[in-house]
């Protein structure tokens, strides 16, 4: 075993319901401010409906097919649902809409899952490399990198892969392959840890990785697909602190 890789949401970081509601309020308020300042006050009154509809369309068009898109495409869908022609907006306006949409969690940070910092540090002390794969949703890779830096997790992760930048989501093999290739190891030298049996455990195991199912004691608001196939993890833990003795035992057993 040379690499321990992690899922992000509900494995290393999480939002509770109150934080998620605050993020939504911040997005809606700031999107409305940008649109109103550009002469779209009438359309801005319908902003919450367009916000919800654009999420539904992303799910129907992309995420349900394990595909992902740049954050700018989410903004374009949002504007379509709002009745605003994105092609008639200047680049500065589109950039500002994307910024206020994508970065609210940078300002109001998620919480670190208990034990996350400690387990990553302990893994690295044992000479193992670390990686991360995240399906992104409304918070794109560039914002998540900043979040992980502020939470002091980014310096401990050798490679980070985000679905909106890659173009496909877990459990598709291509996103696991990007991580494997970047770390220059074989799949059978990697172990993946995640909270969702389908996207994390199934995705990793069908590539030839070992996989641990993490069941967080307190689940946040991140949404993940339901399990669609029978999946058997190599192990299950409900506390990240329990990973170390488990990893030692797996190493001893070869």
């Amino acid at each position: 075993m040379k690499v321990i890789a992690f899922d992000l949401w509900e494995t290393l970081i999480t939002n509770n319901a109150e934080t998620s509601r605050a993020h939504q309020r911040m997005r809606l308020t700031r999107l409305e401010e940008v649109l109103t300042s550009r002469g779209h006050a009438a359309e801005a009154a319908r902003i919450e409906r367009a916000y919800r509809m654009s999420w539904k369309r992303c799910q129907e068009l992309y995420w349900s097919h394990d595909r992902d898109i740049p954050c700018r495409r989410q903004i374009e869908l949002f504007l379509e649902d709002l009745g605003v022609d994105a092609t008639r907006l200047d680049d500065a306006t589109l950039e500002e809409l994307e910024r206020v949409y994508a970065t609210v969690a940078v300002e109001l940070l998620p919480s670190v899952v208990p034990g996350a910092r400690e387990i990553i540090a302990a893994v690295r002390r044992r000479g193992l490399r670390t990686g991360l794969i995240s399906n992104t949703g409304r918070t794109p890779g560039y914002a998540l990198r900043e979040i992980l830096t502020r939470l002091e997790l980014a310096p401990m992760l050798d490679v980070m892969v985000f679905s909106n930048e890659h173009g496909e989501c877990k459990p598709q093999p291509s996103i696991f392959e990007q991580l494997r290739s970047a770390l220059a190891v074989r799949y059978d030298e990697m172990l993946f840890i995640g909270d969702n049996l389908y996207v994390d455990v199934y995705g990793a195991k069908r590539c030839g990785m070992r996989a641990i199912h993490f069941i967080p004691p307190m689940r946040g608001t991140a949404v993940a697909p339901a399990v669609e196939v029978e999946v058997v993890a190599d192990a299950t833990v409900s506390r990240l602190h329990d990973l170390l003795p488990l990893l030692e035992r797996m190493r001893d057993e070869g």
Side-chain angles (χ1 to χ4, degrees):
M1 194 186 308
K2 295 181 178 179
V3 169
I4 308 296
F6 298 87
D7 165 54
L8 181 57
W9 290 105
E10 308 306 334
T11 301
L12 298 182
I13 64 174
T14 185
N15 281 331
N16 60 29
E18 182 179 353
T19 302
S20 292
R21 286 193 295 268
H23 286 164
Q24 177 173 314
R25 289 194 300 270
M26 291 166 67
R27 283 194 182 97
L28 294 175
T29 298
R30 294 172 184 184
L31 288 167
E32 182 176 2
E33 289 171 351
V34 174
L35 289 166
T36 300
S37 70
R38 269 67 167 188
H40 293 283
E43 292 89 345
R46 304 191 301 271
I47 195 170
E48 185 168 354
R49 179 184 179 279
Y51 179 82
R52 297 183 185 280
M53 286 301 299
S54 62
W55 177 271
K56 182 179 179 181
R57 291 179 68 195
C58 284
Q59 179 65 31
E60 292 173 348
L61 294 172
Y62 305 109
W63 297 329
S64 63
H65 304 288
D66 296 333
R67 297 167 54 205
D68 210 346
I69 50 175
C71 192
R72 179 61 61 88
R73 179 58 183 149
Q74 292 192 42
I75 294 299
E76 291 169 352
L77 289 171
F78 162 73
L79 290 170
E80 286 177 18
D81 289 319
L82 200 60
V84 176
D85 184 355
T87 64
R88 301 187 66 179
L89 298 180
D90 58 68
D91 286 342
T93 298
L94 291 172
E95 288 173 6
E96 183 65 5
L97 287 169
E98 180 178 342
R99 185 189 68 80
V100 300
Y101 180 91
T103 62
V104 294
V106 176
E107 183 173 336
L108 179 57
L109 290 170
S111 301
V112 178
V113 172
R117 291 192 187 95
E118 294 81 358
I119 188 62
I120 300 174
V123 162
R124 292 174 64 86
R125 285 196 299 270
R126 284 157 174 75
L128 298 169
R129 301 184 71 194
T130 56
L132 177 142
I133 305 176
S134 174
N135 291 351
T136 53
R138 282 195 169 110
T139 307
Y142 62 80
L144 288 169
R145 285 187 180 87
E146 178 63 23
I147 289 165
L148 291 169
T149 296
R150 295 191 182 198
L151 293 174
E152 301 180 344
L153 292 172
M156 296 191 290
L157 295 165
D158 294 306
V159 177
M160 295 183 282
V161 180
F162 299 101
S163 62
N164 76 293
E165 299 171 350
H166 175 73
E168 287 193 314
C169 306
K170 295 176 295 181
Q172 289 302 307
S174 67
I175 198 166
F176 290 92
E177 171 58 22
Q178 182 174 338
L179 180 68
R180 185 210 65 78
S181 177
L183 290 164
V185 293
R186 302 190 310 268
Y187 281 124
D188 61 5
E189 296 172 323
M190 303 175 71
L191 173 74
F192 196 82
I193 300 161
D195 70 289
N196 187 267
L197 270 174
Y198 179 56
V199 300
D200 296 321
V201 175
Y202 170 70
K205 287 185 69 70
R206 74 169 175 169
C207 290
M209 300 168 65
R210 282 174 285 182
I212 293 176
H213 184 207
F214 171 58
I215 303 175
M218 293 290 291
R219 176 167 289 279
T221 57
V223 177
V227 179
E228 298 181 359
V229 295
E230 183 178 356
V231 183
V232 179
D234 290 286
T236 299
V237 297
S238 57
R239 300 190 315 156
L240 290 177
H241 292 98
D242 294 335
L243 283 171
L244 270 186
L246 178 58
L247 293 176
E248 296 290 351
R249 186 164 67 250
M250 293 176 74
R251 186 193 63 180
D252 293 342
E253 294 172 353

